[in-house]
Amino acid sequence: MTVLSLKDAAFVAHTPLFKNLTLSISPGDRVGLVAQNGAGKSTLLRCLAGEIEVTHGDIVRSRGTAVGYVPQDVGPDLLHHTFHEAVLAALSEDMRGSDGWRVDMVLASLDAPQTMHGLPVSALSGGWQRLMLLARAWVNDPDVLLLDEPTNYLELEKILLLETWLASWAGDTPMVIASHDRSFLDAVTNRTLFLRPDKSRLYSLPYSRARDELAHMDAADAAEQDRDLKEAQRLRRQSAKLKNIGVNSGSDLLLKKQKTLRERAEKIEDAVTALHSEQAGQIRLSNRGTHAKVLVRIEKLTVATPEGRVLFKVPELNVCKGDRIILLGRNGTGKSTLVRLLRDALEGSGDVPGIRTTPSLVMGYMDQALSDVPEDRAPFEFVAGRGLNDARCRSSLAAAGIPYDIQSRRIADLSFGQKSRLALLALRFAEPNFYLLDEPTNHVDIAGQDALADEIRDLGACCVLVSHDRAFVRDVGTRFFVVEGGMLCEHESAEPYFASLSRSETQTGANC
Ligand SMILES: Nc1ncnc2c1ncn2[C@@H]1O[C@H](COP(=O)(O)OP(=O)(O)OP(=O)(O)O)[C@@H](O)[C@H]1O
Ligand SMILES: [Mg+2]
């Protein structure tokens, strides 16, 4: 039975995001929605959720269908609620009294500790905020789930929990899941929709196998077009020859025949449409370098919550030139709090006992919430005035994946991946010699994740990074620190930590 369907649907924003999209979603379907940043995944999910209308075609929900929609971001309205209240508020008012037990059940299914239920959402880690959004969708017992990048902000342990949760609790509830996380898509989906402006492609396969099929089909399309164009050229050559002979000999028959050949060539050429090409924006950084050997020295630092609850201690840590330090640890252990302490110390905005920096240090900082990116300004305005002329600003933005026609709109209207790309572009212009990045790959598409890793590595940039992305961590890190047992401990590699997440064992071999 079809729960939700799209018929010949299209959405035109500043440019067509998708068109002629026809899709039926039935129980058991788990559709991975894949496309580059700014391609329209969130827009499509919002259309399916009934938040906005498609600009052409129809979306049909079977009668009484309850849609559970998990947006890409938490938004400001829920931040002051407690975790429990935020989930309870997702129930209709008349259900809150009688069906409040549902909230406890959903929170228990997600292994949310009781002590966390009373915390304000703003105090939850990014990962728990995402799971809160999932709980809000699930508490209403939906017939279909729409998940917009559900693994963003989740560290690996929580990604594995989510995979298990989707397999056990969600049963055969149909789902559409937008994601840039290849392993997650492979683990949880059975269909894949590659969203494209002209002709989207749907496969009854999980991501990696669908990607192979897509590459195969794109290559076959390209070969067919090549053949068609060669045939059109042949017809045109023949037509030109006949025209010469026809004119010289005054033969109407030959002239008529050359016209027919030319028309056939034109018909073939008209039928050849531009092939889809992934125009992923570039990600480029810069490194002004430094003569200092040690950029940041941490000694006897206590990392605590604003209320003074001690999260962990750092006995000693020297961040040296060329170090690419990865901070690992479960959601809520305080990695982001350490990053904020470092930022305060490095910006000189607060005297942080236990952290000293070299005077030549120039920091490039990016946080999970992209709080340095002003939502009300335009991308062009944001990057202008950094010593670049207007043309260079515009071309740099376009190259980064923010097309000309949206450069003067509000940043709030950009997709999340485009906002991340904008933040990274601003970092490049700041020419830092030390990068402090909290989950920089969140929201960034697959090509962008690879490009960011290459760029950090190739520049030899000194950095401290928080990331849950295994491929990224392995690719970029030179030193690995894990928050465990109230201490920040150094490990030879990230592998023991990754392995411990599935085993849930205490780790060994650490240098705390
Ligand atoms: N309210 C809006 N007004 C104008 N343009 C918008 C609006 N919302 C989205 N867009 C534009 O539509 C395009 C698609 O945005 P969308 O958020 O759907 O992309 P996405 O595929 O989800 O990207 P990401 O991977 O970065 O999350 C973007 O270029 C964005 O700037
Ligand atoms: Mg999106």
Side-chain angles (χ1 to χ4, degrees):
M1 186 197 71
T2 300
V3 180
L4 189 60
S5 61
L6 284 159
K7 287 202 181 106
D8 203 20
F11 193 97
V12 182
H14 54 283
T15 168
L17 298 179
F18 52 86
K19 60 184 181 193
N20 306 326
L21 189 57
T22 296
L23 170 72
S24 300
I25 300 159
S26 308
D29 282 343
R30 291 171 169 219
V31 184
L33 177 56
V34 180
Q36 65 198 53
N37 288 139
K41 300 175 297 297
S42 298
T43 305
L44 173 59
L45 288 179
R46 291 179 65 208
C47 292
L48 289 170
E51 287 211 341
I52 51 174
E53 298 283 328
V54 285
T55 49
H56 182 272
D58 292 306
I59 294 189
V60 183
R61 292 173 200 86
S62 54
R63 191 183 291 269
T65 297
V67 178
Y69 168 54
V70 178
Q72 197 169 345
D73 197 34
V74 177
D77 296 348
L78 292 169
L79 294 179
H80 59 277
H81 285 71
T82 67
F83 190 2
H84 193 277
E85 281 166 5
V87 181
L88 187 67
L91 288 171
S92 63
E93 228 165 281
D94 49 328
M95 283 171 78
R96 283 180 206 156
S98 57
D99 285 33
W101 55 270
R102 280 171 180 269
V103 177
D104 296 313
M105 219 178 77
V106 173
L107 293 184
S109 77
L110 289 167
D111 290 346
Q114 192 73 35
T115 48
M116 213 175 252
H117 293 196
L119 290 180
V121 170
S122 56
L124 299 177
S125 65
W128 276 113
Q129 290 186 358
R130 300 289 317 171
L131 293 177
M132 177 274 293
L133 292 178
L134 177 64
R136 278 173 57 83
W138 194 247
V139 77
N140 277 309
D141 202 9
D143 302 302
V144 57
L145 262 183
L146 308 172
L147 308 178
D148 200 349
E149 305 210 13
T151 62
N152 284 354
Y153 307 108
L154 259 58
E155 51 96 23
L156 192 57
E157 184 196 27
K158 290 277 173 293
I159 296 178
L160 298 177
L161 178 133
L162 180 61
E163 286 176 9
T164 316
W165 188 92
L166 289 172
S168 54
W169 288 82
D172 70 351
T173 308
M175 294 176 205
V176 184
I177 306 172
S179 178
H180 300 297
D181 185 329
R182 291 163 270 197
S183 334
F184 178 74
L185 285 167
D186 278 337
V188 303
T189 61
N190 54 21
R191 298 174 77 193
T192 304
L193 174 65
F194 294 99
L195 195 69
R196 291 177 164 184
D198 278 319
K199 196 171 172 197
S200 298
R201 301 268 197 193
L202 179 68
Y203 298 94
S204 294
L205 293 169
Y207 172 76
S208 296
R209 284 162 61 203
R211 181 87 233 174
D212 290 345
E213 279 294 311
L214 179 75
H216 196 65
M217 214 171 240
D218 281 346
D221 281 357
E224 193 184 324
Q225 286 207 0
D226 212 32
R227 275 196 304 275
D228 287 350
L229 288 172
K230 279 193 179 129
E231 173 64 5
Q233 276 170 5
R234 193 186 65 79
L235 292 171
R236 278 193 182 278
R237 276 197 305 271
Q238 220 174 341
S239 156
K241 232 186 250 171
L242 287 185
K243 191 175 176 185
N244 272 342
I245 304 172
V247 169
N248 290 337
S249 64
S251 163
D252 284 348
L253 187 69
L254 286 181
L255 286 174
K256 206 169 153 197
K257 198 163 177 204
Q258 77 82 23
K259 195 169 164 237
T260 314
L261 289 179
R262 200 191 63 221
E263 281 169 1
R264 268 175 59 198
E266 281 169 2
K267 209 167 159 191
I268 293 175
E269 284 161 356
D270 285 349
V272 171
T273 48
L275 286 175
H276 175 82
S277 69
E278 303 269 311
Q279 287 173 339
Q282 303 169 346
I283 291 190
R284 303 269 311 279
L285 296 176
S286 55
N287 179 13
R288 74 167 62 200
T290 171
H291 293 300
K293 283 205 176 82
V294 177
L295 281 86
V296 182
R297 198 182 288 280
I298 305 180
E299 231 174 347
K300 294 190 188 133
L301 175 72
T302 298
V303 178
T305 62
E307 306 80 52
R309 184 167 61 89
V310 174
L311 294 165
F312 63 92
K313 295 189 175 183
V314 189
E316 189 184 4
L317 166 56
N318 287 332
V319 183
C320 302
K321 193 171 165 176
D323 277 351
R324 299 194 294 273
I325 290 182
I326 310 280
L327 298 178
L328 299 160
R330 300 180 181 211
N331 274 143
T333 45
K335 303 177 299 288
S336 294
T337 311
L338 172 58
V339 167
R340 280 195 292 274
L341 280 178
L342 280 168
R343 181 204 56 192
D344 291 348
L346 273 50
E347 272 180 352
S349 59
D351 178 27
V352 183
I355 304 181
R356 278 183 295 146
T357 64
T358 185
S360 63
L361 187 141
V362 178
M363 178 177 57
Y365 171 72
M366 177 170 159
D367 67 12
Q368 282 191 14
L370 303 178
S371 46
D372 286 347
V373 178
E375 297 266 312
D376 279 336
R377 293 175 68 197
F380 174 74
E381 228 186 292
F382 180 55
V383 294
R386 291 171 197 253
L388 303 169
N389 64 32
D390 287 4
R392 172 92 198 281
C393 281
R394 294 214 177 268
S395 60
S396 304
L397 282 164
I402 301 156
Y404 289 96
D405 39 15
I406 55 172
Q407 292 177 1
S408 300
R409 290 176 177 233
R410 288 167 67 232
I411 290 175
D413 290 343
L414 297 185
S415 79
F416 285 91
Q418 286 170 328
K419 284 182 205 170
S420 301
R421 286 165 171 277
L422 182 62
L424 289 165
L425 181 65
L427 287 191
R428 174 182 158 204
F429 292 149
E431 273 194 70
N433 52 22
F434 175 83
Y435 281 91
L436 182 59
L437 308 175
D438 196 353
E439 301 281 12
T441 57
N442 267 342
H443 303 297
V444 175
D445 58 29
I446 292 166
Q449 293 169 19
D450 291 344
L452 180 61
D454 289 349
E455 196 64 13
I456 292 177
R457 222 188 27 243
D458 296 350
L459 282 173
C462 179
C463 52
V464 172
L465 294 165
V466 177
S467 175
H468 65 261
D469 182 325
R470 270 172 295 179
F472 187 75
V473 165
R474 287 182 177 123
D475 215 3
V476 166
T478 58
R479 298 177 70 191
F480 305 88
F481 288 82
V482 181
V483 181
E484 54 190 351
M487 300 288 262
L488 187 69
C489 305
E490 183 159 14
H491 288 256
E492 291 273 303
S493 83
E495 302 313 318
Y497 173 71
F498 291 156
S500 78
L501 296 176
S502 32
R503 293 198 314 267
S504 274
E505 284 175 3
T506 358
Q507 303 182 23
T508 52
N511 178 14
C512 297

